[in-house]
Amino acid sequence: MALPNDGFHDELARAFAEYREACPAPELSDGFMPGIWRGIEARCGFSMTVRRISRRFVTAAVALCLLMAILLTIPRTPNAAVGYASSTYLEALATDHSIEDIPITDLEHRDGGVE
Amino acid sequence: MLVDFEIIERAQQGDGGAFNQMVQAYRKRILGTIARLIGRPEDVEDVGQEVFVRLFFSLDQLRTPEVFEPWLYRLTVNAAYDYLRRQRRRRESRMSDLSEQQVVIADALAGGRRLDEEQQKARTREFVQSLLSSVSEEDRILLTLKEVEGLSLKELEQIYQVKENALKVRLFRARQRVLKAFAATQPEAAKQLSGDD
């Protein structure tokens, strides 16, 4: 297809120039500025909500991490700490099942069983 | 510049009053540009509000007040582009679908016949908008900024942030596409053109 010639260029330039003159200046309504601020507040509201939710989520996550760290570092009972952490298996066994604690009847039963 | 740098800087720091001053200073110009870019007077105000809302939220990204105007134009172009894209379905009329009346208008424009002034203005608007709707939104906006708004290549460079040569190529191609559509509206001239070949 042939490209348009110079005559068309001039015509088009003239049409564009006339178009600029033909477009009326837009009338500004009284609601223009309030509309802008409504738009700003609406977007602020949305972004603030997202920010608030994410901040709460982060706070909750940090609190949970701290709680878990505390639970893991602090021993459950002092005895357990002494019994399981600082003594050998045999010592721990001896502490838990000392011969004095076993009832006499139980000892008799055990002796009988052995014989 | 329609506002002092100081006002822009104050608005950047969150001063609502300074922002209002900026809007007051630029709204007429921006709304005029939008009107010519989108060609629908009833939607100009909505698009204008969108531009200034975007301006409010992106003011902190403006590094120097010196580049404020091309930057505001870029926001305007982007908002107009988004609007035109949303309206694309309505605006898919091709030059081959132009009404008989539009062809008459084109003929009248070419022949320089005298029409009633207001009537002629309305027809010119309709005709140029029809022409512009026959090309892509990118071409339409670029041509409007160059040919209708009268922006220089330097200003367009700042708005589009591309090199002058690339811009010239884009402009040339856009102009060719509109010229083809324009030629299609003028059967007499088209005949002459084919006769020349």
Side-chain angles (χ1 to χ4, degrees), chain A residues 14 22 28-29 33 43, chain B residues 20 31 45 50 109 125 197:
Chain A
R14 195 160 67 90
L28 305 171
S29 75
M33 282 304 292
R43 285 190 205 178
Chain B
N20 278 346
L31 291 185
E45 198 165 297
E50 176 63 22
L109 269 172
R125 280 198 300 274
D197 296 334

Side-chain angles (χ1 to χ4, degrees), chain B residues 175-188:
Chain B
R175 207 176 275 134
Q176 288 306 113
R177 283 189 274 268
V178 172
L179 276 169
K180 278 179 189 168
F182 185 70
T185 63
Q186 300 185 63
E188 287 295 314

Side-chain angles (χ1 to χ4, degrees), chain A residues 2-72:
Chain A
L3 287 176
N5 63 10
D6 284 346
F8 284 148
H9 275 280
D10 296 342
E11 288 299 330
L12 187 65
R14 195 160 67 90
F16 278 134
E18 282 177 15
Y19 176 65
R20 186 181 168 83
E21 296 304 313
C23 283
E27 285 178 24
L28 305 171
S29 75
D30 293 338
F32 187 72
M33 282 304 292
I36 292 173
W37 283 107
R38 266 199 305 278
I40 290 169
E41 277 159 21
R43 285 190 205 178
C44 271
F46 176 73
S47 61
M48 285 301 283
T49 307
V50 171
R51 216 173 286 171
R52 208 180 307 134
I53 290 171
S54 55
R55 209 174 291 159
R56 278 184 192 165
F57 180 78
V58 169
T59 310
V62 168
L64 194 66
C65 284
L66 279 173
L67 188 69
M68 286 181 74
I70 290 166
L71 285 176
L72 286 171

Side-chain angles (χ1 to χ4, degrees), chain B residues 16-28:
Chain B
F19 178 74
N20 278 346
Q21 275 182 271
M22 279 166 60
V23 176
Q24 297 284 356
Y26 280 96
R27 67 179 185 176
K28 206 169 179 182

